[in-house]
Amino acid sequence: MASSIVRMRGLGGLRTIRCFSASARREAAEVNRLGVVGSGQMGLGIALVAAQKASVPVTIIDTSDKALQKGLAFADKLLAKDVSKSRITQEQADKARSLLSTSTKLEDLSSVDFVIEAVPEIPQLKFDIFSQLAQICPKHAILATNTSSISITRIAAATTSDPTDTSASSRVVSTHFMNPVPVQKGVEIISGLQTSKETLDTAVEFCKKMGKVTSISADSPGFLANRILMPYINEAIICLETGVGDRDSIDAIMKNGTNVPMGPLQLADFIGLDTCLSIMKVLHQETGDSKYRPSVLLTKMVDAGWLGKKSAKGFYDY
């Protein structure tokens, strides 16, 4: 595939852009087996949708059997709910469930065509996982991350100690699914500097096979979704902490004034306040722009362990 690297200087400084020929054909590879690292809400959601929509076998990896069983119990609950609401038949639910398997060993991803990492937003944890995946997975396998803010280029670099060896780093891409995965159709696809055209095309086509609507983003802090969403949520929290409005007024005006399904404070609870704080810290650190400074109240709530819905207490009680 003919490609070139172009450097352009604009208002934001020197930018590096990967260019491909306009006549370049799609090079999407077939995905017949998926691996998902992480059995939390995001990882389980990704695995379940892949089984339901793309009909591919999925191996879910986590560090403990307890975490895996909790994830599968959540999958059973979601499938039962869909059957009860006549969204799917019991036969379809049973088929999707049969495609899910679990393991506590990354080595069991040695035969996948595509793997999606969905662990907490801890950079070194992701770097360590991708370093191992590059050794374990087949040489053709796409190595994707569900990161919401960490540089794809940095994650790709973790696959090798030799920057000139792009055999693994060229297969790294981000498939950032929106939460909750079984409900939200959006997914943003982000390429690192090393990502190949075939990798990007395969990621786009597989996400479409999962029934998702894809958006392409540059590898910039926060990408598209969180670059827009998180400052909005953070500003709502600042409005609360400085007394501009109370919780109910803030959420009500955004729901009834902009027609969003839930207000920013309730949405923050559903995302997880620790996740919101982590993303704001990345935006602040990587851009150096004070407009991304995390709210003091947000930091205090995370310190208190009030993380939102998953801890039963955030801006609301659950």
Side-chain angles (χ1 to χ4, degrees):
M1 175 62 65
S3 66
S4 61
I5 299 295
V6 177
R7 297 188 182 277
M8 300 179 65
R9 187 174 297 278
L11 294 177
L14 191 64
R15 298 177 62 199
T16 303
I17 301 174
R18 184 182 298 275
C19 299
F20 298 93
S21 166
S23 61
R25 63 180 178 85
R26 280 202 176 276
E27 293 187 343
E30 190 71 25
V31 176
N32 296 309
R33 180 172 290 275
L34 175 70
V36 174
V37 182
S39 63
Q41 183 176 355
M42 290 301 296
L44 191 282
I46 292 167
L48 184 58
V49 171
Q52 282 188 283
K53 302 292 186 179
S55 297
V56 296
V58 186
T59 301
I60 308 169
I61 306 293
D62 212 313
T63 54
S64 73
D65 286 320
K66 182 179 180 181
L68 289 167
Q69 292 308 310
K70 182 179 179 181
L72 290 178
F74 182 51
D76 290 337
K77 181 179 178 180
L78 292 177
L79 289 170
K81 183 179 180 180
D82 282 347
V83 171
S84 69
K85 292 183 176 295
S86 299
R87 294 170 182 159
I88 59 174
T89 65
Q90 186 61 55
E91 182 180 1
Q92 290 172 321
D94 292 341
K95 179 182 178 183
R97 183 64 176 77
S98 71
L99 291 172
L100 302 179
S101 61
T102 62
S103 173
T104 57
K105 298 178 181 179
L106 277 176
E107 289 77 12
D108 287 336
L109 299 180
S110 60
S111 62
V112 299
D113 302 305
F114 201 114
V115 59
I116 301 174
E117 164 273 312
V119 304
E121 289 291 277
I122 303 171
Q124 192 57 53
L125 175 60
K126 292 181 186 286
F127 300 156
D128 291 344
I129 288 172
F130 274 79
S131 177
Q132 295 177 68
L133 290 176
Q135 300 300 315
I136 294 169
C137 297
K139 299 304 180 183
H140 71 276
I142 303 301
L143 310 178
T145 174
N146 187 57
T147 182
S148 55
S149 59
I150 300 170
S151 166
I152 312 309
T153 298
R154 288 180 64 198
I155 293 175
T159 61
T160 178
S161 59
D162 179 3
T164 64
D165 179 9
T166 60
S167 58
S169 60
S170 67
R171 294 182 282 114
V172 175
V173 69
S174 175
T175 52
H176 179 213
F177 292 83
M178 299 298 105
N179 187 28
V181 183
V183 176
Q184 301 286 17
K185 288 189 173 295
V187 56
E188 55 183 354
I189 314 292
I190 305 103
S191 294
L193 185 61
Q194 310 95 319
T195 306
S196 71
K197 183 67 162 58
E198 180 179 4
T199 296
L200 176 63
D201 286 345
T202 301
V204 169
E205 291 306 312
F206 183 62
C207 287
K208 288 181 177 179
K209 192 175 179 182
M210 289 174 64
K212 299 302 181 181
V213 178
T214 60
S215 296
I216 307 299
S217 171
D219 186 15
S220 181
F223 317 132
L224 281 176
N226 285 321
R227 187 69 167 265
I228 298 167
L229 176 63
M230 285 304 159
Y232 157 71
I233 288 176
N234 193 58
E235 190 63 31
I237 300 172
I238 291 173
C239 285
L240 179 65
E241 78 178 39
T242 57
V244 177
D246 60 27
R247 180 197 69 182
D248 293 343
S249 293
I250 291 168
D251 276 358
I253 191 60
M254 297 313 296
K255 286 172 63 178
N256 299 302
T258 63
N259 203 32
V260 292
M262 66 176 68
L265 301 179
Q266 184 184 14
L267 178 57
D269 275 355
F270 273 73
I271 293 171
L273 302 191
D274 52 340
T275 300
C276 293
L277 178 60
S278 175
I279 295 169
M280 287 306 301
K281 284 181 175 179
V282 169
L283 287 171
H284 191 210
Q285 178 181 336
E286 294 196 8
T287 65
D289 194 327
S290 61
K291 73 180 181 181
Y292 297 118
R293 176 187 63 81
S295 159
V296 173
L297 177 58
L298 175 60
T299 302
K300 286 182 177 179
M301 291 182 72
V302 172
D303 287 343
W306 299 350
L307 308 181
K309 191 173 186 295
K310 62 185 173 184
S311 68
K313 184 174 182 61
F315 294 107
Y316 296 80
D317 293 330
Y318 299 89

